[in-house]
Every structure is written in structure tokens, then in C-alpha cells.
Amino acid sequence: MSAARKRDEHRELNHYTFWPGFILLLAGITLGLAYQEGLAIMLSTTMNWIHITFGWLEVSLAIIIVMFTVGIAFSPIGNIRLGGRDAKPEFTFWQWFSLSLCGCIGIGILFWAMGEPIYHMMQPPLSLHIDPGSKDAGIFAIAQTTLHWTIAQYCFYTICGVAIALVSYNRNYPLSIAAGMYALFPKKLRPILVPAVHALCLFSLCCAIATSMGAGLMQIGSGTGRIFDYTPGPLTWAAAAAIIIPIYILSSYSGLKKGMRILSTGTTKAFFLFMAIVLFAGPTLFILGIGVESFGYFASNFFRNSTLLNTMQISDKWPMQWLVPYMEIFFIFAPLLGHFLARMGKGRTIRQFILVNIIPPTIFCHFWIATFGGTAVYFQWTGLVDVWAGIHQFGMESMVYILLSQFPFCKILMGLFVVTIVFSFATMTDSLVATLAIISTKGVRASEEPPKKLKIIWGVVTGLIVSVT
């Protein structure tokens, strides 16, 4: 009896992680509701100070991490197999790609791939001396959006995934975000430092999920509003949340190898379907042309455009509105999404783990951004649709529907896109809810799932956070 109890003990709730993180989250929500304006001003001021003071460091670290990740991939370390020499992969390459894509950036590219290029096209960095709205601005817009959503981002996530997977699979430590930092923690202090790190991760991850869900709900509301000709509001967003929350809870409940795998592969197929529709029903030759030119610009200016700051051009707000905040977001998400990617690494070499988690998503994202962002650039350049004015009038969440309104059977396409958003968001949230459950549980191993009741609890909590905020 005592042996059985000992085996199950590591799957119990870790009170030293769960309750501090939960209390911190509750305190943050209470403070935000009670002092909304004051807190917003304080956070905005703090973020501006961080941008200005540490922006140079953040973009420098990003370049270092990219080079370090590539170096690890092609070094002898890349030959190490996660899980040992005899370990076998648990996912096919297609399943792995789908999980990596949807679990990390799926909802992001649905929201930003169309609108962000227009911002870069109409308000390019002053230091590049590009005329707004010009051909050069359009090519820069697609290339820079690709840069923001591909290599650097996935290098951040992947290198954290390597550290966590190595310690969890090859050293048999519990699957945890802090596992990658065990070498930095003195053994005597680990019982204190590990729960502290995880508690902070619980807080930050819940806030990140709430922010992403808020954007997704706005996009769903905008789509249904255009389809059924009404003005979306809180009731629409609540109804959308009521649909999404059970989907990702049920998917997470069934585990990574069942619900999450099925949901991600289906969502990825929907991505390819929509990309094909827009490519062949839209300005095909323009999309192909700007896709090729922007890729060349992206490749030849990668380091230059990864370090764009406003040195000697203080009036240029672009770096502090785009590049620097993106780097900060990558740093925040890196250990959390690295933890998710680590769960799919068993049986793969470190070289395979790095290359598959970076190259296929980068190729896909460039095609996606060239297709949807290129269409937006085409409409703005030709004057068929004033996309720039539409963003300011209706918001970023309406961008895709402004574009789809120019296609045949537009309302059917809008409806299908809304469904894709629902499942895309559910897929990403599924992965993050599973991470919340794992790090708030005692010593879950890499081959195990966290307790299902914790998945339900965190799924409901994240949904309630969005409803309250």
C-alpha cells in the first residue's frame, strides 16, 4: 500500500507552486479591476522604460540565441538522441509539425499576418529611408513580418525545449520548466527556487492566455458580425468563449497523443486549405512575386533588420512598437512553449529537434504571410480597398474579413475562417493549459500526462480570467 502511494505521490498537486501562483494571479486581477486606469498607466510607463533601456540588449540576445541554436544543431551535441540511443519517436513528422505550428503560433498568424504588413508598409522605420506605400515598403513589410514570426521566435522556444527535454528524458528529472535550469540552482535551494519559478510561470502564462484569447474572441466577434450583419459586443464574446473553452478542455483532458494531436492536424489542414483558396482566387501572380522578392530581402537583410533600433533617430517609434516588444514576448513565452515542444522530442536527435521545430514552421509562415499579407498589400497598392483606413476604422481584428469580402462566396469563406480561428485558438490554449497542469503537479515525468482534474481546473480558470478582464 505504501509503495502504491509513493508511486502516485509525484502526481499530486504541488501546493508550493499552485497556491502562490494562483494567489498572485488573483491579486493581479483584483488590482486591475480596482485600479484599471492607474495600473494601465504604470504598466505602460514601465514597459516604455524597459524598451528604451534594454532594447539594445534584447535584440542582441536574440541574435546570440539564433547563432547559438544553429551552432548546437550542427555540433556533435546535435547527435545526442533525446530519451537515449534506443528511444523511438512517438509522433510522425507531420504530427510533430502540426503540433509545433498550432501549439506555438497558430492563432498569432491568423490575427497579425494580414494587418501587420500594412502597418510596416504605411509606417516603415525612418532609418531605412523607405517611402510609405511604395514597392520597397511593400517588400519590407512582408519580409519583416516573416522575420518577426519565424526563425528568432522558434529558436527561442526550441533551445529552451532542448534544455528541458535533455534533463527530462536523458537525466530522468521531472518534466518541468525549471528542469533546464537545474545546473544553475544549488541542490540545497532547488526545493525553494523551483516552485518559485513555476509560480511565476503560472502567473505569466495565465496572463498570456487571457491576452491571446481576448484577441481571438474579438476576431471571432468581428467575423460573425460581418456574416450576420450586427455589431458584436460582450454577449458575442461570451458566447464564443463558451464554445472555445469546452473544446480545449476536452482536448487537453484526452492528452497530447489524442485530442491535441487530432485537433492540431485538422487545424493545420484548414490553414493549407485557406492559403490555397486565397492564393488561387486572389492576385496569384502578385502574391508569388512579392513572396519571392520579400524572401530574398529577408535572407539578405536578416541581421540588419533583426537589430533595427532608433539610435540617433529618437523620433522613430517603430523599433519600440514592433521589434523590441516582439523580442520581449519571445523571452516570456520561450520557457513555456519550450516545455511544450520538449514533450514531442523523444526519439529524435537534438539536430532533428532543432531543425524540424524551426525550418518547416518558417517556410509555412513565410508562405502564409506572403499570401494573406501580400493580398493586403496588393489591395492597398492598387487602391481596390483602403486597407489602412479599414484597420483604423474597424480594428485589426476586422482585417481578414475586409480582405475576404472581395472574394466570391465571401460569407461562406468568413464562416469557415471563424471556425478555423475557434479550433486554432483551442489548439494553442490546449498546449498551454497542459503546461499549467504539469508545472503545478509534483514531478510529472516526460512520458506522463498531468492529472486530468488539474487540466479542467486550469482550463476553467483561464476562461474565467478572460470573462472577468
Side-chain angles (χ1 to χ4, degrees), residues 430-446:
D430 179 345
S431 67
L432 298 178
V433 166
T435 299
L436 286 170
I438 289 171
I439 63 179
S440 55
T441 305
K442 288 182 180 179
V444 175
R445 301 293 170 177

Side-chain angles (χ1 to χ4, degrees), residues 327-406:
M327 296 304 116
E328 292 165 352
I329 291 169
F330 300 163
F331 279 116
I332 293 170
F333 272 102
L336 305 167
L337 292 177
H339 180 275
F340 168 67
L341 293 178
R343 300 176 68 196
M344 298 175 287
K346 184 180 179 181
R348 308 293 184 181
T349 65
I350 289 178
R351 182 175 297 112
Q352 289 175 324
F353 185 81
I354 291 174
L355 296 181
V356 173
N357 277 326
I358 295 173
I359 295 177
T362 292
I363 294 172
F364 172 84
C365 285
H366 177 67
F367 275 103
W368 179 273
I369 292 165
T371 301
F372 284 89
T375 301
V377 169
Y378 175 80
F379 285 156
Q380 184 68 36
W381 172 64
T382 58
L384 290 175
V385 180
D386 192 346
V387 181
W388 184 235
I391 289 177
H392 286 85
Q393 183 178 354
F394 300 109
M396 183 75 81
E397 66 273 12
S398 299
M399 184 67 257
V400 64
Y401 306 111
I402 294 174
L403 298 184
L404 292 178
S405 66
Q406 306 302 308

Side-chain angles (χ1 to χ4, degrees), residues 120-336:
H120 299 326
M121 179 181 177
M122 303 307 292
Q123 292 181 340
L126 297 179
S127 59
L128 295 183
H129 307 292
I130 297 175
D131 293 330
S134 65
K135 174 185 175 178
D136 288 343
I139 293 172
F140 164 78
I142 301 300
Q144 193 66 24
T145 305
T146 298
L147 186 149
H148 289 163
W149 284 97
T150 55
I151 293 177
Q153 183 170 179
Y154 266 96
C155 281
F156 276 53
Y157 305 157
T158 301
I159 201 62
C160 287
V162 168
I164 295 170
L166 263 177
V167 174
S168 299
Y169 285 114
N170 295 57
R171 302 294 293 274
N172 202 32
Y173 279 99
L175 181 65
S176 71
I177 292 172
M181 297 184 285
Y182 278 171
L184 303 176
F185 293 165
K187 196 168 184 179
K188 292 182 179 180
L189 296 179
R190 285 180 192 173
I192 299 173
L193 294 178
V194 170
V197 168
H198 285 168
L200 289 174
C201 287
L202 290 178
F203 172 75
S204 60
L205 185 52
C206 283
C207 293
I209 293 174
T211 302
S212 298
M213 182 179 277
L217 294 180
M218 289 172 64
Q219 200 171 24
I220 292 169
S222 178
T224 56
R226 285 181 174 271
I227 294 169
F228 299 107
D229 195 24
Y230 75 98
T231 302
L235 188 60
T236 303
W237 303 327
I243 295 171
I244 293 173
I245 292 170
I247 292 174
Y248 71 69
I249 289 178
L250 288 173
S251 176
S252 184
Y253 184 88
S254 63
L256 180 66
K257 299 176 185 177
K258 294 181 181 179
M260 178 66 178
R261 176 180 58 80
I262 295 169
L263 204 57
S264 63
T265 53
T267 302
T268 302
K269 291 176 182 177
F271 285 170
F272 277 104
L273 173 63
F274 256 101
M275 189 162 58
I277 290 172
V278 174
L279 174 61
F280 293 111
T284 306
L285 292 178
F286 183 88
I287 291 171
L288 295 174
I290 199 169
V292 171
E293 287 198 65
S294 61
F295 180 78
Y297 184 95
F298 164 78
S300 60
N301 293 278
F302 178 79
F303 289 101
R304 171 72 180 93
N305 286 9
S306 294
T307 55
L308 282 172
L309 295 173
N310 59 354
T311 309
M312 300 178 69
Q313 243 171 350
I314 304 302
S315 60
D316 189 2
K317 303 300 181 185
W318 185 93
M320 304 306 166
Q321 292 173 339
W322 292 102
L323 183 63
V324 172
Y326 266 121
M327 296 304 116
E328 292 165 352
I329 291 169
F330 300 163
F331 279 116
I332 293 170
F333 272 102
L336 305 167

